[in-house]
Coordinates of all heavy atoms in Angstrom, one line a residue:
M1 N -31.9 87.2 -54.1 CA -33.0 87.9 -54.8 C -32.8 87.9 -56.3 O -31.7 88.3 -56.8 CB -33.0 89.3 -54.2 CG -34.2 90.2 -54.8 SD -34.1 91.9 -54.2 CE -34.7 91.8 -52.6
S2 N -33.8 87.4 -57.0 CA -33.6 87.3 -58.5 C -33.7 88.8 -59.0 O -34.2 89.7 -58.3 CB -34.7 86.5 -59.1 OG -36.0 87.2 -59.0
D3 N -33.3 88.9 -60.2 CA -33.3 90.2 -60.9 C -34.7 90.7 -60.9 O -35.0 91.9 -60.6 CB -32.7 90.1 -62.3 CG -31.9 91.4 -62.7 OD1 -31.0 91.8 -62.0 OD2 -32.3 92.0 -63.7
R4 N -35.6 89.9 -61.4 CA -37.0 90.3 -61.5 C -37.6 90.7 -60.1 O -38.3 91.7 -60.0 CB -37.9 89.2 -62.1 CG -39.3 89.5 -62.3 CD -39.5 90.6 -63.4 NE -40.9 91.0 -63.6 CZ -41.4 91.6 -64.6 NH1 -40.6 91.8 -65.7 NH2 -42.6 91.9 -64.7
H5 N -37.3 89.9 -59.1 CA -37.8 90.3 -57.8 C -37.3 91.6 -57.3 O -38.0 92.4 -56.7 CB -37.5 89.2 -56.8 CG -38.0 89.4 -55.4 ND1 -39.4 89.4 -55.1 CD2 -37.4 89.8 -54.3 CE1 -39.5 89.7 -53.8 NE2 -38.3 89.9 -53.3
M6 N -36.0 91.9 -57.6 CA -35.4 93.2 -57.2 C -36.1 94.3 -57.9 O -36.4 95.3 -57.3 CB -33.9 93.2 -57.7 CG -33.2 94.5 -57.5 SD -31.7 94.5 -58.4 CE -32.2 94.4 -60.1
L7 N -36.4 94.2 -59.2 CA -37.1 95.2 -59.9 C -38.5 95.4 -59.3 O -39.0 96.6 -59.1 CB -37.2 94.8 -61.4 CG -35.9 94.7 -62.2 CD1 -36.2 94.1 -63.5 CD2 -35.2 96.0 -62.3
E8 N -39.2 94.3 -59.1 CA -40.6 94.4 -58.5 C -40.6 95.0 -57.1 O -41.4 95.9 -56.8 CB -41.2 93.1 -58.4 CG -41.6 92.5 -59.8 CD -42.0 91.0 -59.8 OE1 -41.8 90.4 -58.7 OE2 -42.4 90.5 -60.8
E9 N -39.5 94.7 -56.3 CA -39.4 95.2 -54.9 C -39.1 96.7 -55.0 O -39.7 97.5 -54.1 CB -38.3 94.5 -54.2 CG -38.1 94.9 -52.8 CD -39.4 94.8 -51.9 OE1 -40.3 94.1 -52.2 OE2 -39.4 95.4 -50.8
A10 N -38.3 97.2 -55.9 CA -38.0 98.6 -56.0 C -39.3 99.4 -56.3 O -39.6 100.4 -55.7 CB -37.0 98.9 -57.1
V11 N -40.1 98.9 -57.2 CA -41.4 99.6 -57.6 C -42.4 99.5 -56.4 O -43.0 100.5 -56.1 CB -42.0 99.0 -58.8 CG1 -43.4 99.6 -59.1 CG2 -41.0 99.2 -60.1
R12 N -42.5 98.3 -55.8 CA -43.4 98.2 -54.6 C -43.0 99.1 -53.5 O -43.8 99.8 -52.9 CB -43.4 96.7 -54.2 CG -44.5 96.4 -53.1 CD -44.2 95.2 -52.3 NE -43.0 95.3 -51.5 CZ -42.9 95.9 -50.3 NH1 -44.0 96.5 -49.9 NH2 -41.8 96.0 -49.6
R13 N -41.6 99.1 -53.2 CA -41.2 99.9 -52.0 C -41.3 101.4 -52.2 O -41.7 102.1 -51.3 CB -39.8 99.5 -51.7 CG -39.3 100.0 -50.3 CD -38.0 99.5 -49.9 NE -37.8 98.1 -49.9 CZ -36.7 97.5 -49.4 NH1 -35.7 98.1 -48.9 NH2 -36.6 96.1 -49.4
W14 N -40.9 101.9 -53.4 CA -40.8 103.3 -53.6 C -41.9 103.9 -54.4 O -42.1 105.1 -54.5 CB -39.4 103.6 -54.2 CG -38.3 103.3 -53.2 CD1 -38.3 103.7 -51.9 CD2 -37.2 102.5 -53.5 NE1 -37.1 103.1 -51.4 CE2 -36.4 102.4 -52.3 CE3 -36.7 101.9 -54.6 CZ2 -35.2 101.7 -52.2 CZ3 -35.5 101.2 -54.5 CH2 -34.8 101.1 -53.3
G15 N -42.7 103.1 -55.1 CA -43.9 103.5 -55.8 C -43.6 104.0 -57.2 O -42.4 104.3 -57.6
V16 N -44.6 104.1 -58.0 CA -44.5 104.3 -59.4 C -44.0 105.7 -59.7 O -43.1 106.0 -60.5 CB -45.9 104.1 -60.2 CG1 -45.8 104.6 -61.6 CG2 -46.2 102.6 -60.1
T17 N -44.6 106.7 -59.0 CA -44.1 108.1 -59.2 C -42.7 108.3 -58.9 O -41.9 108.9 -59.7 CB -45.0 109.1 -58.4 OG1 -46.3 108.9 -58.7 CG2 -44.5 110.5 -58.6
S18 N -42.2 107.8 -57.8 CA -40.8 107.9 -57.5 C -39.9 107.2 -58.5 O -38.9 107.8 -58.9 CB -40.5 107.2 -56.1 OG -39.1 107.2 -55.9
Q19 N -40.3 106.0 -59.0 CA -39.5 105.4 -60.0 C -39.6 106.1 -61.4 O -38.6 106.0 -62.2 CB -39.9 103.9 -60.1 CG -39.6 103.1 -58.8 CD -38.3 103.5 -58.2 OE1 -38.2 104.4 -57.4 NE2 -37.3 102.8 -58.6
L20 N -40.7 106.7 -61.7 CA -40.8 107.5 -62.9 C -39.8 108.7 -62.8 O -39.1 109.1 -63.7 CB -42.2 108.0 -63.2 CG -43.1 107.0 -63.8 CD1 -44.6 107.6 -63.7 CD2 -42.8 106.7 -65.2
N21 N -39.8 109.3 -61.6 CA -38.9 110.4 -61.4 C -37.4 110.0 -61.5 O -36.6 110.7 -62.1 CB -39.1 111.0 -60.0 CG -40.4 111.7 -59.8 OD1 -41.1 112.1 -60.8 ND2 -40.9 112.0 -58.6
Q22 N -37.2 108.8 -61.0 CA -35.8 108.3 -61.1 C -35.4 108.0 -62.5 O -34.3 108.2 -62.9 CB -35.6 107.0 -60.2 CG -34.2 106.5 -60.0 CD -33.3 107.6 -59.3 OE1 -33.8 108.3 -58.5 NE2 -32.1 107.6 -59.6
T23 N -36.4 107.5 -63.3 CA -36.1 107.2 -64.7 C -35.8 108.5 -65.4 O -34.8 108.5 -66.2 CB -37.4 106.6 -65.3 OG1 -37.7 105.4 -64.7 CG2 -37.1 106.3 -66.8
Q24 N -36.5 109.5 -65.1 CA -36.3 110.8 -65.7 C -34.9 111.4 -65.3 O -34.1 111.8 -66.2 CB -37.3 111.8 -65.3 CG -37.3 113.1 -66.0 CD -38.5 114.0 -65.5 OE1 -38.9 114.0 -64.4 NE2 -39.1 114.7 -66.5
E25 N -34.5 111.2 -64.1 CA -33.2 111.7 -63.6 C -32.1 110.9 -64.2 O -31.1 111.5 -64.7 CB -33.1 111.5 -62.1 CG -31.9 112.1 -61.5 CD -31.9 112.1 -60.0 OE1 -33.0 112.4 -59.4 OE2 -30.9 111.8 -59.4
E26 N -32.2 109.6 -64.3 CA -31.2 108.8 -64.9 C -31.0 109.1 -66.4 O -29.9 109.1 -67.0 CB -31.4 107.3 -64.7 CG -31.4 106.9 -63.3 CD -30.1 107.0 -62.6 OE1 -29.1 107.5 -63.2 OE2 -30.0 106.8 -61.4
M27 N -32.1 109.4 -67.1 CA -32.1 109.7 -68.5 C -31.3 111.1 -68.7 O -30.5 111.2 -69.6 CB -33.5 109.8 -69.1 CG -34.1 108.4 -69.4 SD -35.8 108.5 -70.0 CE -36.0 106.8 -70.5
G28 N -31.6 112.0 -67.8 CA -30.9 113.3 -67.8 C -29.4 113.1 -67.6 O -28.6 113.7 -68.3
E29 N -29.0 112.2 -66.7 CA -27.6 111.9 -66.5 C -27.0 111.3 -67.7 O -25.8 111.6 -68.0 CB -27.4 111.0 -65.2 CG -27.8 111.7 -63.9 CD -27.7 110.8 -62.7 OE1 -27.4 109.6 -62.9 OE2 -28.1 111.3 -61.6
A30 N -27.7 110.4 -68.4 CA -27.2 109.8 -69.6 C -27.0 110.8 -70.7 O -26.1 110.8 -71.4 CB -28.1 108.6 -70.0
I31 N -28.0 111.7 -70.8 CA -27.9 112.8 -71.8 C -26.6 113.6 -71.6 O -25.8 113.9 -72.5 CB -29.1 113.7 -71.8 CG1 -30.3 112.9 -72.4 CG2 -28.8 115.0 -72.6 CD1 -31.6 113.7 -72.2
A32 N -26.4 114.0 -70.3 CA -25.2 114.7 -69.9 C -23.9 114.0 -70.2 O -22.9 114.5 -70.7 CB -25.2 115.1 -68.5
A33 N -23.9 112.6 -70.0 CA -22.8 111.8 -70.2 C -22.5 111.6 -71.7 O -21.3 111.7 -72.1 CB -23.0 110.4 -69.6
I34 N -23.6 111.6 -72.5 CA -23.4 111.5 -74.0 C -22.7 112.8 -74.5 O -21.8 112.8 -75.3 CB -24.7 111.3 -74.7 CG1 -25.2 109.8 -74.4 CG2 -24.6 111.5 -76.2 CD1 -26.6 109.6 -74.8
N35 N -23.2 113.9 -73.9 CA -22.6 115.2 -74.3 C -21.1 115.3 -74.0 O -20.2 115.7 -74.8 CB -23.3 116.4 -73.6 CG -24.6 116.7 -74.3 OD1 -24.8 116.4 -75.5 ND2 -25.6 117.2 -73.5
R36 N -20.8 114.8 -72.8 CA -19.3 114.8 -72.3 C -18.5 113.8 -73.2 O -17.4 114.1 -73.6 CB -19.2 114.4 -70.9 CG -19.6 115.4 -69.9 CD -19.2 115.1 -68.4 NE -19.6 113.9 -68.0 CZ -20.9 113.6 -67.4 NH1 -21.7 114.6 -67.2 NH2 -21.2 112.4 -67.0
F37 N -19.1 112.7 -73.5 CA -18.5 111.7 -74.3 C -18.2 112.2 -75.7 O -17.1 112.0 -76.3 CB -19.4 110.4 -74.4 CG -18.8 109.3 -75.2 CD1 -17.8 108.5 -74.6 CD2 -19.1 109.0 -76.5 CE1 -17.2 107.4 -75.3 CE2 -18.6 108.0 -77.2 CZ -17.6 107.2 -76.6
R38 N -19.1 112.9 -76.3 CA -18.9 113.4 -77.7 C -17.8 114.5 -77.7 O -17.2 114.7 -78.7 CB -20.2 114.1 -78.2 CG -21.3 113.1 -78.6 CD -22.4 113.7 -79.4 NE -23.0 114.8 -78.6 CZ -24.2 115.2 -78.8 NH1 -25.0 114.6 -79.7 NH2 -24.7 116.2 -78.1
R39 N -17.6 115.2 -76.6 CA -16.5 116.1 -76.5 C -15.2 115.5 -76.0 O -14.3 116.3 -75.8 CB -17.0 117.3 -75.5 CG -18.1 118.0 -76.1 CD -18.6 119.1 -75.1 NE -19.7 119.8 -75.6 CZ -20.6 120.4 -74.9 NH1 -20.6 120.4 -73.6 NH2 -21.6 121.1 -75.5
G40 N -15.2 114.2 -75.8 CA -14.0 113.5 -75.4 C -13.7 113.8 -73.9 O -12.5 113.8 -73.5
R41 N -14.7 114.2 -73.1 CA -14.5 114.6 -71.8 C -14.9 113.5 -70.8 O -15.0 113.8 -69.5 CB -15.2 115.9 -71.5 CG -14.6 117.1 -72.2 CD -15.3 118.4 -71.9 NE -14.7 119.5 -72.6 CZ -15.2 120.7 -72.7 NH1 -16.3 120.9 -72.1 NH2 -14.6 121.6 -73.5
T42 N -15.2 112.3 -71.2 CA -15.6 111.3 -70.3 C -15.1 109.9 -70.9 O -15.0 109.8 -72.1 CB -17.0 111.3 -69.9 OG1 -17.2 110.5 -68.8 CG2 -17.9 110.8 -71.1
A43 N -14.8 109.0 -70.0 CA -14.4 107.7 -70.4 C -15.6 106.8 -70.9 O -16.8 107.1 -70.4 CB -13.7 107.0 -69.3
D44 N -15.4 105.8 -71.7 CA -16.4 104.9 -72.1 C -17.1 104.4 -70.9 O -18.4 104.2 -70.8 CB -15.8 103.7 -72.9 CG -15.3 104.1 -74.2 OD1 -15.1 105.3 -74.5 OD2 -15.1 103.1 -75.0
S45 N -16.3 104.1 -69.8 CA -16.9 103.4 -68.6 C -18.0 104.3 -67.9 O -18.9 103.8 -67.4 CB -15.8 103.1 -67.7 OG -15.1 104.2 -67.3
E46 N -17.7 105.6 -68.0 CA -18.7 106.5 -67.3 C -20.0 106.6 -68.1 O -21.1 106.6 -67.5 CB -18.1 107.9 -67.1 CG -17.0 108.0 -66.1 CD -16.4 109.4 -65.9 OE1 -17.2 110.3 -65.9 OE2 -15.2 109.4 -65.7
L47 N -19.8 106.6 -69.4 CA -21.0 106.7 -70.3 C -21.8 105.4 -70.1 O -23.0 105.3 -70.0 CB -20.7 106.9 -71.8 CG -21.8 106.8 -72.8 CD1 -22.9 107.7 -72.5 CD2 -21.3 107.0 -74.2
L48 N -21.1 104.2 -70.1 CA -21.7 102.9 -70.0 C -22.5 102.8 -68.7 O -23.5 102.2 -68.6 CB -20.7 101.8 -70.2 CG -20.2 101.7 -71.6 CD1 -19.0 100.7 -71.6 CD2 -21.3 101.2 -72.5
A49 N -21.8 103.4 -67.6 CA -22.4 103.3 -66.3 C -23.8 104.1 -66.3 O -24.8 103.5 -65.8 CB -21.5 103.9 -65.2
E50 N -23.8 105.2 -67.0 CA -25.1 106.0 -67.0 C -26.1 105.2 -67.9 O -27.3 105.2 -67.6 CB -24.9 107.4 -67.6 CG -24.0 108.2 -66.7 CD -24.6 108.4 -65.3 OE1 -25.8 108.2 -65.1 OE2 -23.9 108.8 -64.4
L51 N -25.7 104.6 -69.0 CA -26.6 103.8 -69.8 C -27.1 102.6 -69.1 O -28.3 102.3 -69.2 CB -25.9 103.4 -71.1 CG -25.5 104.5 -72.1 CD1 -24.8 103.9 -73.3 CD2 -26.7 105.3 -72.6
G52 N -26.3 102.0 -68.2 CA -26.7 100.9 -67.3 C -27.8 101.4 -66.4 O -28.8 100.7 -66.1
D53 N -27.6 102.6 -65.8 CA -28.6 103.1 -64.9 C -30.0 103.3 -65.7 O -31.0 103.0 -65.1 CB -28.2 104.5 -64.4 CG -27.1 104.4 -63.4 OD1 -26.8 103.4 -62.9 OD2 -26.4 105.5 -63.2
V54 N -29.9 103.8 -66.9 CA -31.1 104.0 -67.7 C -31.8 102.7 -67.9 O -33.0 102.5 -67.8 CB -30.8 104.7 -69.0 CG1 -32.1 104.7 -69.9 CG2 -30.5 106.2 -68.7
Q55 N -30.9 101.7 -68.3 CA -31.5 100.3 -68.6 C -32.2 99.8 -67.4 O -33.3 99.1 -67.6 CB -30.4 99.4 -69.1 CG -30.9 98.1 -69.6 CD -31.8 98.2 -70.8 OE1 -31.4 98.6 -71.9 NE2 -33.1 97.8 -70.6
L56 N -31.6 99.9 -66.3 CA -32.2 99.4 -65.0 C -33.6 100.0 -64.8 O -34.5 99.4 -64.4 CB -31.3 99.6 -63.8 CG -31.7 98.9 -62.5 CD1 -31.7 97.4 -62.7 CD2 -30.8 99.3 -61.4
M57 N -33.7 101.3 -65.0 CA -35.0 102.0 -64.9 C -35.9 101.6 -65.9 O -37.2 101.4 -65.6 CB -34.8 103.5 -64.9 CG -33.9 104.1 -63.8 SD -34.3 103.5 -62.1 CE -36.0 103.9 -61.9
L58 N -35.5 101.4 -67.1 CA -36.4 100.8 -68.2 C -36.9 99.4 -67.8 O -38.1 99.1 -68.1 CB -35.7 100.8 -69.6 CG -35.4 102.2 -70.1 CD1 -34.6 102.1 -71.4 CD2 -36.7 103.1 -70.3
D59 N -36.0 98.7 -67.2 CA -36.5 97.3 -66.7 C -37.5 97.5 -65.6 O -38.5 96.7 -65.6 CB -35.3 96.6 -66.2 CG -34.3 96.1 -67.2 OD1 -34.7 96.2 -68.4 OD2 -33.2 95.8 -66.9
Q60 N -37.4 98.5 -64.8 CA -38.5 98.7 -63.8 C -39.8 99.2 -64.5 O -40.8 98.9 -64.0 CB -38.0 99.8 -62.8 CG -36.9 99.2 -61.8 CD -36.5 100.2 -60.8 OE1 -37.3 100.8 -60.1 NE2 -35.1 100.4 -60.7
M61 N -39.6 99.9 -65.6 CA -40.9 100.3 -66.3 C -41.6 99.1 -66.8 O -42.8 99.1 -67.0 CB -40.5 101.3 -67.4 CG -40.0 102.7 -66.9 SD -41.2 103.6 -65.8 CE -40.5 103.2 -64.2
R62 N -40.9 98.0 -67.1 CA -41.5 96.8 -67.5 C -42.4 96.2 -66.4 O -43.5 95.7 -66.6 CB -40.5 95.7 -67.9 CG -39.6 96.1 -69.0 CD -38.6 95.0 -69.4 NE -39.2 94.0 -70.2 CZ -39.5 94.0 -71.5 NH1 -39.2 95.1 -72.2 NH2 -40.1 93.1 -72.1
V63 N -42.0 96.5 -65.1 CA -42.8 96.0 -64.0 C -44.0 97.0 -63.9 O -45.1 96.5 -63.7 CB -42.0 96.1 -62.7 CG1 -42.9 95.9 -61.5 CG2 -40.8 95.1 -62.7
V64 N -43.8 98.3 -64.1 CA -44.9 99.2 -64.0 C -45.9 99.0 -65.1 O -47.1 99.0 -64.7 CB -44.3 100.7 -64.0 CG1 -45.5 101.7 -64.1 CG2 -43.4 101.0 -62.8
F65 N -45.5 98.9 -66.3 CA -46.5 98.9 -67.4 C -46.7 97.5 -67.9 O -47.7 97.3 -68.7 CB -46.0 99.8 -68.5 CG -45.9 101.3 -68.1 CD1 -44.7 101.9 -67.8 CD2 -47.1 102.0 -68.1 CE1 -44.7 103.2 -67.4 CE2 -47.1 103.3 -67.7 CZ -45.9 103.9 -67.4
G66 N -45.9 96.5 -67.6 CA -46.1 95.2 -68.0 C -45.1 94.9 -69.2 O -44.9 95.7 -70.1
D67 N -44.6 93.6 -69.2 CA -43.7 93.2 -70.3 C -44.4 93.3 -71.7 O -43.8 93.7 -72.7 CB -43.3 91.8 -70.1 CG -42.3 91.7 -68.9 OD1 -41.4 92.6 -68.8 OD2 -42.3 90.7 -68.2
E68 N -45.7 92.9 -71.7 CA -46.4 92.9 -73.0 C -46.5 94.3 -73.6 O -46.2 94.5 -74.8 CB -47.8 92.3 -72.8 CG -48.4 91.7 -74.1 CD -49.7 91.0 -73.8 OE1 -49.7 90.1 -72.9 OE2 -50.7 91.4 -74.4
A69 N -46.8 95.3 -72.8 CA -46.9 96.6 -73.3 C -45.6 97.2 -73.8 O -45.5 97.8 -74.8 CB -47.5 97.5 -72.2
L70 N -44.6 96.9 -73.0 CA -43.2 97.4 -73.4 C -42.7 96.7 -74.6 O -42.1 97.3 -75.5 CB -42.2 97.3 -72.2 CG -42.0 98.5 -71.3 CD1 -41.3 99.6 -72.0 CD2 -43.3 99.0 -70.8
D71 N -42.9 95.4 -74.7 CA -42.5 94.7 -75.9 C -43.2 95.2 -77.1 O -42.7 95.3 -78.2 CB -42.8 93.2 -75.7 CG -41.8 92.5 -74.7 OD1 -40.8 93.2 -74.4 OD2 -42.1 91.4 -74.2
A72 N -44.5 95.5 -77.0 CA -45.3 96.0 -78.1 C -44.8 97.3 -78.5 O -44.7 97.7 -79.7 CB -46.8 96.1 -77.7
A73 N -44.5 98.2 -77.6 CA -43.9 99.5 -77.9 C -42.6 99.4 -78.6 O -42.3 100.1 -79.6 CB -43.8 100.4 -76.6
R74 N -41.8 98.5 -78.1 CA -40.4 98.3 -78.7 C -40.6 97.8 -80.2 O -39.9 98.2 -81.1 CB -39.6 97.3 -77.9 CG -38.1 97.3 -78.4 CD -37.3 96.2 -77.9 NE -36.0 96.2 -78.4 CZ -35.6 95.9 -79.7 NH1 -36.5 95.6 -80.6 NH2 -34.4 96.0 -80.1
R75 N -41.5 96.8 -80.3 CA -41.8 96.3 -81.7 C -42.2 97.4 -82.6 O -41.8 97.5 -83.8 CB -42.8 95.2 -81.7 CG -42.3 93.8 -81.4 CD -43.3 92.7 -81.7 NE -44.6 92.9 -81.1 CZ -44.9 92.4 -79.8 NH1 -43.9 91.9 -79.1 NH2 -46.0 92.6 -79.3
A76 N -43.1 98.3 -82.2 CA -43.6 99.4 -83.0 C -42.4 100.3 -83.4 O -42.3 100.7 -84.5 CB -44.7 100.2 -82.3
S77 N -41.5 100.6 -82.4 CA -40.4 101.4 -82.7 C -39.4 100.7 -83.7 O -38.9 101.3 -84.6 CB -39.6 101.7 -81.5 OG -40.4 102.6 -80.6
A78 N -39.2 99.4 -83.5 CA -38.4 98.6 -84.4 C -38.9 98.6 -85.8 O -38.1 98.7 -86.7 CB -38.1 97.2 -83.8
D79 N -40.2 98.4 -85.9 CA -40.9 98.5 -87.2 C -40.6 99.7 -87.9 O -40.3 99.7 -89.2 CB -42.4 98.2 -87.1 CG -42.7 96.8 -86.7 OD1 -41.8 95.9 -86.8 OD2 -43.9 96.6 -86.3
K80 N -40.7 100.9 -87.2 CA -40.4 102.2 -87.8 C -39.0 102.3 -88.3 O -38.7 102.8 -89.3 CB -40.8 103.3 -86.8 CG -42.3 103.6 -86.7 CD -42.6 104.9 -86.0 CE -42.7 104.5 -84.5 NZ -43.0 105.7 -83.7
L81 N -38.1 101.8 -87.4 CA -36.6 101.9 -87.7 C -36.3 101.0 -89.0 O -35.6 101.4 -89.9 CB -35.8 101.4 -86.6 CG -34.3 101.2 -86.9 CD1 -33.7 102.6 -87.3 CD2 -33.6 100.7 -85.6
R82 N -36.9 99.8 -89.0 CA -36.7 98.9 -90.1 C -37.2 99.5 -91.4 O -36.5 99.5 -92.4 CB -37.5 97.6 -89.8 CG -37.1 96.4 -90.8 CD -37.8 95.1 -90.4 NE -37.3 94.6 -89.1 CZ -37.9 94.7 -88.0 NH1 -39.2 95.2 -87.9 NH2 -37.4 94.2 -86.8
E83 N -38.4 100.1 -91.4 CA -39.0 100.8 -92.5 C -38.1 101.9 -93.0 O -37.8 102.1 -94.2 CB -40.3 101.3 -92.2 CG -41.2 101.7 -93.4 CD -41.6 100.5 -94.2 OE1 -41.7 99.4 -93.8 OE2 -41.9 100.8 -95.4
H84 N -37.6 102.7 -92.0 CA -36.7 103.8 -92.3 C -35.4 103.3 -93.0 O -35.0 103.9 -94.0 CB -36.4 104.5 -91.0 CG -35.7 105.9 -91.2 ND1 -36.3 106.9 -91.9 CD2 -34.5 106.3 -90.7 CE1 -35.5 108.0 -91.8 NE2 -34.4 107.6 -91.2
L85 N -34.8 102.2 -92.5 CA -33.6 101.7 -93.1 C -33.9 101.2 -94.5 O -33.1 101.4 -95.5 CB -33.1 100.6 -92.2 CG -32.4 101.0 -90.9 CD1 -32.2 99.8 -90.0 CD2 -31.1 101.7 -91.2
L86 N -35.0 100.5 -94.7 CA -35.3 99.9 -96.0 C -35.6 101.0 -97.0 O -35.4 100.8 -98.2 CB -36.6 99.0 -95.9 CG -36.3 97.7 -95.1 CD1 -37.6 96.9 -94.9 CD2 -35.3 96.8 -95.9
N87 N -36.1 102.2 -96.5 CA -36.4 103.3 -97.4 C -35.2 104.2 -97.7 O -35.3 105.3 -98.2 CB -37.6 104.1 -96.9 CG -38.8 103.4 -97.1 OD1 -39.0 102.5 -97.9 ND2 -39.8 103.6 -96.2
G88 N -34.0 103.8 -97.1 CA -32.8 104.6 -97.3 C -32.9 105.9 -96.5 O -32.2 106.9 -97.0
G89 N -33.5 106.0 -95.4 CA -33.7 107.2 -94.7 C -32.4 107.7 -94.1 O -31.4 107.0 -93.9
D90 N -32.4 109.0 -93.8 CA -31.2 109.7 -93.2 C -31.1 109.3 -91.7 O -32.0 108.8 -91.1 CB -31.4 111.2 -93.2 CG -31.4 111.7 -94.7 OD1 -30.7 111.0 -95.5 OD2 -32.0 112.8 -94.9
A91 N -30.0 109.6 -91.1 CA -29.7 109.3 -89.7 C -30.6 110.0 -88.8 O -31.1 109.5 -87.8 CB -28.2 109.5 -89.4
H92 N -30.9 111.3 -89.1 CA -31.7 112.1 -88.2 C -32.8 112.8 -89.0 O -32.5 113.5 -89.9 CB -30.9 113.2 -87.5 CG -29.7 112.6 -86.8 ND1 -29.9 111.9 -85.6 CD2 -28.4 112.5 -87.1 CE1 -28.7 111.5 -85.2 NE2 -27.8 111.9 -86.0
E93 N -34.0 112.5 -88.6 CA -35.2 113.2 -89.2 C -36.2 113.6 -88.2 O -36.2 113.1 -87.1 CB -35.9 112.2 -90.2 CG -35.1 112.0 -91.5 CD -35.9 111.2 -92.5 OE1 -37.0 110.8 -92.2 OE2 -35.3 110.9 -93.5
Ligands
MG1 MG1 -27.0 107.7 -63.3

């Protein structure tokens, strides 16, 4: 089973709402892992595993919304970041 087929099959089998819920859950787990990591209470490998879970769900969102829409959204975000860097912006605003 190719990676793309696996992503499509997950969305087809469990549905968009379920996969949106899973995306939310995985993002929550990643947030918790980042908090533990910043406090030195988790290994790199645990944080990376949670980030991998989030990436897999974001890949499924490409199936749900389409590659073109996700690529456009990422380009818009990248454009904002690039502008922020070029303007000497702070890390957090
Ligand atoms: Mg997870």
Side-chain angles (χ1 to χ4, degrees):
M1 182 184 284
S2 71
D3 214 58
R4 181 68 185 202
H5 181 70
M6 173 195 65
L7 298 170
E8 290 170 351
E9 180 61 15
V11 173
R12 188 199 67 76
R13 192 177 302 188
W14 296 309
V16 171
T17 299
S18 173
Q19 296 317 90
L20 282 170
N21 291 345
Q22 190 64 29
T23 302
Q24 190 174 37
E25 185 174 320
E26 296 297 355
M27 286 177 165
E29 290 175 4
I31 289 167
I34 289 168
N35 284 333
R36 288 194 303 275
F37 183 79
R38 285 192 306 205
R39 294 176 179 154
R41 293 182 182 167
T42 195
D44 290 15
S45 59
E46 288 182 40
L47 174 57
L48 289 169
E50 294 302 343
L51 294 176
D53 289 344
V54 169
Q55 185 63 64
L56 189 63
M57 296 315 302
L58 292 178
D59 290 344
Q60 288 179 53
M61 294 301 102
R62 299 182 77 80
V63 173
V64 171
F65 295 103
D67 287 323
E68 200 171 307
L70 264 291
D71 288 343
R74 191 195 179 285
R75 274 196 304 277
S77 292
D79 287 347
K80 283 192 270 184
L81 173 59
R82 190 174 295 106
E83 194 69 22
H84 192 60
L85 288 167
L86 290 172
N87 289 331
D90 294 333
H92 304 285
E93 285 185 5

